Every structure is written in structure tokens, then in C-alpha cells.
Amino acid sequence: DAKTTQPNSMESNEEEPVHLPCNHSTISGTDYIHWYRQLPSQGPEYVIHGLTSNVNNRMASLAIAEDRKSSTLILHRATLRDAAVYYCILRASGTYKYIFGTGTRLKVLA
Amino acid sequence: EPEVTQTPSHQVTQMGQEVILRCVPISNHLYFYWYRQILGQKVEFLVSFYNNEISEKSEIFDDQFSVERPDGSNFTLKIRSTKLEDSAMYFCASSEGNLAPSYNEQFFGPGTRLTVL
């Protein structure tokens, strides 16, 4: 399984944009990039995913580098509720499982 | 909004006892999963289940573990003889079946905290 590298922690001020980076230099052509987050004492929650093109949904945007070796999750206006551990996960074609790393712990300051 | 539910929220058991953790996946989903998270550690994949059989499992999922879909709504994880190291939060998840597995997102339940004494 291809690995991802994320910073251990990041801080953001409330109502400011947050850019959470992820490096995945060994990604293969059929790996999807998925982002999940885990709020305190809860199960992981789906955020967004993509393959090659940038993606937007109501929660966030996903910017994927042209060579696909890195991606960035963008929260446009961080709220206190966005404080969580954010996981960048590569999922190989045909596999069902997620391999979670340690993620980035996002702290949002009021 | 439909959600995955799990019962009980907290289960305490003695070492060597059998436990069954229960999950009700989202009703039109076809793929079901169990993960676990030992306190302070990563979320770990255990098993995926589709069409009444295991489709993928990790090395953690040994002979002590089994899964079952006993009826049209429940999905269970059984641990036959619990060990101290089985203490963890166990998460059930489900996903739709209409697209390739690498595309479908998984919806996770709130978890069952298992404490083995």
C-alpha cells in the first residue's frame, strides 16, 4: 500500500482558510486519494476524495498536484467544529480497506 | 440523514469471554467493514464483507474473530475468547455497492468501546 506523509499538527484561526498538505510520492495511477477526519470521541467521517482533478464539495476542496505526488485539503473557513484529526489515505483500485496513518491534528483557535 | 449505528456503546468483559459487537449499517449499503482503534493509536482495518462472505481481511483478523450478517439489517463482529489486547474502540462502517470499491466512501458508526479486564 502506498504511504502518505502528513504534518503531525497544525493550527488555524477561526474563520480563516486552512490548507492541510499530504505527500504521497509513491502513489500509483489507480490509487484514489481519500480524506477523512475524526472528531474527538467519534468515528472517522468522510470528507472528500479524488483521482486526478480538483474536487469541491460542501465540506471542503481537494487540490491534487499535476503529478499526483501530493494533495491539499482546503477548509475554506475553519470553525471550532473542524478541530479534528485529518487523514489522507490512498486506496488502491479493487481494494476495500482504508489504511489509516497518524493524520494531522488540526487545532482551531477562537 | 441515514447513519450507521452500533450497540452497545461500551462493553466490559472478562478475559477469555466471548463478545458480540453489533452494527446496523445504512439500509441500502452492500459493503460492510470493521475497524478498531486502540487508545491513542491508529485506526486499523479488520475485515470487509460483501455478499455474505469476507472479501478482505487483515492479519489482525485471526481465528478468534468472525463476522456475520444474521438478518437483513444487522452486521456483527464476534471475538471468541477475548484478550487484554483486544481492548479498543471498534468501528463498523458501510458503503454503497454500485461503484468500484476504491471509489465508494465508507460511513462509520460511533463505535463500541470494548474493555477487557
Side-chain angles (χ1 to χ4, degrees):
Chain A
D1 298 300
K3 288 191 66 173
T4 62
T5 304
Q6 299 178 252
N8 287 333
S9 63
M10 290 183 66
E11 277 188 7
S12 171
N13 292 319
E14 200 177 6
E15 298 192 8
E16 288 188 0
V18 183
H19 290 233
L20 297 163
C22 180
N23 286 320
H24 29 79
S25 58
T26 59
I27 191 170
S28 76
T30 54
D31 286 347
Y32 279 81
I33 303 161
H34 289 244
W35 283 82
Y36 276 73
R37 70 181 185 181
Q38 189 173 20
L39 279 64
S41 302
Q42 294 190 29
E45 176 187 30
Y46 169 77
V47 178
I48 201 166
H49 74 283
L51 183 62
T52 55
S53 306
N54 295 344
V55 185
N56 299 296
N57 66 20
R58 62 175 179 82
M59 286 183 73
S61 295
L62 176 60
I64 301 172
E66 203 169 321
D67 63 5
R68 300 208 329 124
K69 292 184 187 299
S70 66
S71 60
T72 303
L73 178 71
I74 303 163
L75 306 180
H76 297 286
R77 284 179 72 233
T79 68
L80 295 177
R81 199 201 166 269
D82 292 321
V85 179
Y86 286 78
Y87 300 100
C88 167
I89 306 167
L90 301 184
R91 189 141 72 131
S93 176
T95 184
Y96 301 90
K97 64 188 178 190
Y98 285 120
I99 305 293
F100 285 81
T102 53
T104 296
R105 184 173 297 278
L106 175 66
K107 188 174 178 181
V108 180
L109 305 173
Chain B
E1 190 172 320
E3 57 184 19
V4 175
T5 58
Q6 292 185 242
T7 54
S9 57
H10 190 190
Q11 172 96 46
V12 181
T13 189
Q14 295 291 324
M15 191 169 55
Q17 294 296 303
E18 175 184 286
V19 293
I20 297 176
L21 309 183
R22 291 184 164 77
C23 168
V24 178
I26 294 172
S27 64
N28 63 337
H29 285 186
L30 300 179
Y31 292 88
F32 314 112
Y33 314 84
W34 284 101
Y35 291 79
R36 79 172 186 191
Q37 186 173 31
I38 295 170
L39 187 64
Q41 297 188 24
K42 299 178 193 178
V43 177
E44 300 173 290
F45 169 79
L46 293 178
V47 66
S48 62
F49 189 85
Y50 170 70
N51 201 24
N52 277 323
E53 58 183 37
I54 290 172
S55 46
E56 204 168 1
K57 63 180 181 178
S58 73
E59 47 201 40
I60 301 169
F61 194 87
D62 61 22
D63 292 344
Q64 290 299 310
F65 291 89
S66 62
V67 288
E68 194 179 29
R69 188 149 162 84
D71 53 42
S73 59
N74 290 286
F75 180 52
T76 62
L77 174 70
K78 183 195 289 187
I79 309 175
R80 272 182 251 290
S81 177
T82 49
K83 307 184 192 101
L84 295 176
E85 54 265 37
D86 293 327
S87 294
M89 184 73 91
Y90 288 80
F91 295 109
C92 172
S94 67
S95 64
E96 295 180 16
N98 57 329
L99 295 170
S102 53
Y103 185 84
N104 283 326
E105 66 265 34
Q106 294 174 14
F107 294 83
F108 285 75
T112 292
R113 179 165 298 285
L114 177 64
T115 302
V116 182
L117 302 176

